[in-house]
Amino acid sequence: MALPFSALAFFLYLAFEFPAGSSGPTVVVAAEESVQITYGSVIKLMHERTKFRLHSHDVPYGSGSGQQSVTGFPNVDDSNSYWIVKSPPESSAKQGDVIPNGTIIRLQHMRTRKWLHSHLHASPISGNLEVSCFGGEDQSDTGDFWRLEIEGNGKTWKQDQRIRLRHIDTSGYLHSHDKKYTRIAGGQQEVCGISEKRPDNVWLAAEGVYLPVNASK
């Protein structure tokens, strides 16, 4: 059963330690201009063209790597579409820090704690680069690294900005399209990686719990 957004927000409010002097997180249920995205925020990523959310669940691919599948999900109210924005293990970034354009980030699936991942396996429908979820809290590698590319003149990631995520190991852009699964993930659409920069590579941060900017620096 999907966790109601209000319950999720309350849980996260209790679970996180907020930066000193802050008033707690910004809870966003729809597009809202100029909210900074900071490390530790829990967000949904919406594919701009199709409006599907980046989604994963504990169902493995039946081909390719056999790792946990990643899809595009049509419904807004779904708890398996939340991702925690984190830095690479060696980074000095802290919870609440803003995220500059060009930064390498990781996205951790909130429900299963695995990382958004890609590699040279073929995706099930289109035969592009497979995108999966892999690893765990203490198991992460460079296959989980994505470079943030903000469209336009934005210097730090904000909620109203169009972005691309480019995979470090394969150079593939996080991509989706209207080709849908018919069986295990019926009605959900394929998410994959492709090397070309296209309009279908663009994503926007949508619903989420956005941690306040760390003002201690």
Side-chain angles (χ1 to χ4, degrees):
M1 182 173 66
L3 187 68
F5 186 82
S6 58
L8 170 74
F10 181 70
F11 169 78
L12 292 171
Y13 187 92
L14 295 177
F16 283 118
E17 294 182 3
F18 305 118
S22 75
S23 57
T26 298
V27 179
V28 174
V29 296
E32 184 173 311
E33 291 186 358
S34 298
V35 175
Q36 287 277 5
I37 298 172
T38 58
Y39 289 113
S41 294
V42 181
I43 67 172
K44 290 186 179 182
L45 280 177
M46 181 182 73
H47 186 239
E48 183 184 50
R49 190 175 71 79
T50 64
K51 311 306 180 189
F52 278 45
R53 270 63 174 173
L54 185 69
H55 171 94
S56 188
H57 46 239
D58 193 12
V59 175
Y61 284 119
S63 61
S65 68
Q67 294 175 4
Q68 183 171 301
S69 57
V70 172
T71 63
F73 198 79
N75 299 334
V76 174
D77 187 16
D78 174 70
S79 61
N80 279 316
S81 299
Y82 285 109
W83 302 83
I84 307 169
V85 183
K86 294 196 173 183
S87 61
E90 70 277 7
S91 171
S92 61
K94 298 179 178 61
Q95 180 175 296
D97 285 352
V98 299
I99 306 173
N101 185 33
T103 300
I104 295 174
I105 65 169
R106 297 181 297 166
L107 292 173
Q108 186 178 36
H109 189 239
M110 191 186 76
R111 178 64 65 86
T112 64
R113 299 295 170 170
K114 296 182 179 181
W115 304 98
L116 186 70
H117 186 88
S118 190
H119 37 216
L120 296 178
H121 291 280
S123 62
I125 296 178
S126 65
N128 290 306
L129 296 169
E130 181 189 271
V131 173
S132 64
C133 269
F134 178 73
E137 291 285 359
D138 299 317
Q139 185 183 6
S140 179
D141 59 30
T142 57
D144 309 329
F145 291 4
W146 301 82
R147 188 177 302 281
L148 173 70
E149 296 184 2
I150 299 172
E151 289 285 284
N153 299 319
K155 294 182 179 179
T156 59
W157 191 8
K158 296 181 181 179
Q159 204 246 350
D160 57 337
Q161 289 171 326
R162 302 167 72 243
I163 68 155
R164 288 181 171 87
L165 292 174
R166 192 168 194 179
H167 191 244
I168 295 301
D169 283 358
T170 65
S171 296
Y173 287 99
L174 186 67
H175 179 83
S176 193
H177 46 67
D178 56 9
K179 295 181 176 64
K180 296 180 175 61
Y181 294 96
T182 57
R183 289 191 288 178
I184 294 177
Q188 297 175 42
Q189 68 192 25
E190 185 183 63
V191 171
C192 59
I194 63 169
S195 58
E196 302 90 359
K197 183 180 285 190
R198 299 182 187 174
D200 283 355
N201 305 147
V202 176
W203 301 79
L204 297 99
E207 303 79 17
V209 178
Y210 293 80
L211 297 193
V213 174
N214 188 347
S216 62
K217 287 188 173 182

